[in-house]
Amino acid sequence: MLNKEVTIYDLARQLHLSTATVSRALNNDPVVSRKTRETIQDFAEQMGYQRNHFASHLRTSKTFMIGVIVHALDSQFITSALAGIEEVATKEGYSPIITHSRESYQREVSNARNLFHRRVDGLIASLALDTPDLNHFDIYQDKGVPVVFFDRAEANSPYTQVVIDNYQCGYDATRHLIDQGCRNIMLVTGSLHCHAYAERHRGYAAALADRGIPYQPVLTNDLCEAGGIAAAMQILDMPERPDGLFITNDFTAVVCMQTLRQHGIRIPQDIAVVGFNDDEVCKIVEPNLTTIRYPGKDMGEVAALTLIQHLTGASNLSVMTKIVLRSELVVRASSLRKQYLT
Amino acid sequence: MLNKEVTIYDLARQLHLSTATVSRALNNDPVVSRKTRETIQDFAEQMGYQRNHFASHLRTSKTFMIGVIVHALDSQFITSALAGIEEVATKEGYSPIITHSRESYQREVSNARNLFHRRVDGLIASLALDTPDLNHFDIYQDKGVPVVFFDRAEANSPYTQVVIDNYQCGYDATRHLIDQGCRNIMLVTGSLHCHAYAERHRGYAAALADRGIPYQPVLTNDLCEAGGIAAAMQILDMPERPDGLFITNDFTAVVCMQTLRQHGIRIPQDIAVVGFNDDEVCKIVEPNLTTIRYPGKDMGEVAALTLIQHLTGASNLSVMTKIVLRSELVVRASSLRKQYLT
DNA sequence: TTGTACGCGTTATCAG
DNA sequence: CTGATAACGCGTACAA
């Protein structure tokens, strides 16, 4: 149990070499003769030597840890992104420390501090809904620890962001509904203080304006199960119901759609629906949900790779302000209303 | 950018005290006079001092990091468990390092090594499907680093496990199908080498035996989307189709069910279906899926709490071999076949 | 190509 | 109650 750890001292002593040589050999420093290097490496292996990262990092101040802050864990998009981050990071010899703000600015701040405390080499973050500013990342900026935002980022910040073109997505989704004959299209989305949602909203409004279609007041809510039901109930209560819905979250869209159907609304004949993310549930719900494909895994991979390449000096984050990934409209039955029009 | 870190030396020098006193004060050691302690703490705060965990842990060999190995990230059950782990760990001052074996024994081994390397204070793990033994955890055992398994654990191991009663779940699900008039019940599940699946299978067989119903050959597959489709196709090809299906994964069950329906099978009239996990999709698919509720978040919380209490000495893992959480059958439309029987 | 010796920031031991 | 000092294990000038 309390087996003393094997250290480079032990190796050095038993091999009648100096710790310096051992250290160099273990780091594969070519300055050490190939033969000596191999002898040392083999012996280390055999002795069950394991580098003590703490001592090592105390010297080098590199931790090979990457901090991650996500705003949620119950979203398929986010967990895909995490899978991407984990995969790339592990391959490159970094370990991600994942924290979770649960959409709380306060927890986001404390996570940021905590990770900084732990001396992560870099940070990947997606903002909480109510995050008003980026001041809690100043410590990173000040100390030159790179930060990459993904998904939820602020518009103008000195940090690199990996995102999709939310404006275009909003435009495309809305345009598609218009093309399907909708003239009274309602947007159900998250807080417009969040830049991503604001952009989708801007795209929505632009698509309407381009066709001279009147703008509808927007419904904002938490985009959870309750939000979907609430949206449906509000729509049912409206004197003049919309004929198209663009809901910027698949799960909420699905719940909303089902609630509407339970009250006799036909999808897509009465109301066409478009979601956002392309979660698996889109292909399960009846009718299958039209949505925007949002490549979570790719986004995680790109964010991690970008950060790590910066850390290894292979590239430089400061020249890149924004990386935009491909996203696209995926048309399924829930929005194909045109065929039913007389 | 290259602001030199504030260290206890800086504090000591400026306060005309020794580093020993400063260190003690920062750890709130009551041996230091209250007044001195406060002076030091205030000054540290004001100077923006931050403890260097690496130096500290080099001395104490405590890292306040918990390793986590999961077999998947694309499962709602697992991400709920992760949320539970993250929440408890953070509250207790620990940071989880999450790794992902993607159902690969090899990656599980390398994750285990890597986390051990990083000197985590403890480990929480759920095994990959094809993990043949627990030898890769011997290093933890040898060094006295506690390990807790959850969800996927081995039957007889010296490690504490947090699980549900998979035998009982299998029994209850099967019994329910029998009660609904099914007499030809097929089990679709993951590899029976995995203890959890083996237990569900044992429960299934026992329920059949108790009622003298013939046992059906079991269909095992990867319990993914393709697995659901494959299972459906096999069933469609059978000369004598089952009238009940117990599929030990909701998503697979849903896909299977939909494929069957596309081929004219009525659910539950022709075939009643029961899933496993109680993912959100159960309430979205038509008909709603009967399933076993598997409390992911609770399981994560319990696993983390158990581990941390052991670490803090508040309890002792070695006396607990197994913690069984509550699980239950949730009946929905997909299995209510009795009403249709003449 | 290898060795010597010091420093990284803390905590622990011992002595005051 | 406080101080001096030796570890902890590693990496790296500098010297040989």
Side-chain angles (χ1 to χ4, degrees), chain B residues 8-9 23 27 49 52 55 59:
Chain B
I8 54 172
Y9 289 114
S23 172
N27 288 316
Y49 166 80
N52 184 323
R59 273 302 273 173

Side-chain angles (χ1 to χ4, degrees), chain B residues 9-133:
Chain B
Y9 289 114
D10 303 325
L11 302 179
R13 189 167 1 93
Q14 298 188 46
L15 290 172
H16 304 292
L17 287 168
S18 74
T19 59
T21 306
V22 172
S23 172
R24 282 190 279 250
L26 293 174
N27 288 316
N28 229 344
D29 187 333
V31 84
V32 178
S33 79
R34 231 173 65 86
K35 208 175 136 200
T36 319
R37 240 188 304 162
E38 282 174 1
T39 315
I40 294 176
Q41 289 174 1
D42 290 351
F43 188 63
E45 170 83 36
Q46 176 194 327
M47 293 287 289
Y49 166 80
Q50 293 189 155
R51 162 183 279 116
N52 184 323
H53 285 70
F54 291 96
S56 164
H57 300 338
L58 179 57
R59 273 302 273 173
T60 61
S61 59
K62 292 253 323 166
T63 64
F64 289 93
M65 298 195 300
I66 293 179
V68 180
I69 304 178
V70 293
H71 59 264
L73 272 175
D74 57 0
S75 131
Q76 199 186 315
F77 165 76
I78 289 290
T79 54
S80 308
L82 286 180
I85 292 172
E86 200 274 341
E87 194 167 329
V88 169
T90 302
K91 191 160 65 187
E92 303 290 331
Y94 286 79
S95 295
I97 301 193
I98 295 166
T99 65
H100 177 196
S101 67
R102 272 166 283 158
E103 295 289 18
S104 145
Y105 167 58
Q106 205 189 328
R107 259 191 294 267
E108 182 178 301
V109 171
S110 101
N111 287 338
R113 284 225 191 91
N114 182 24
L115 291 169
F116 185 75
H117 241 153
R118 291 220 173 252
R119 306 284 206 278
V120 292
D121 288 344
L123 184 71
I124 298 177
S126 172
L127 299 173
L129 262 188
D130 61 342
T131 297
D133 57 58

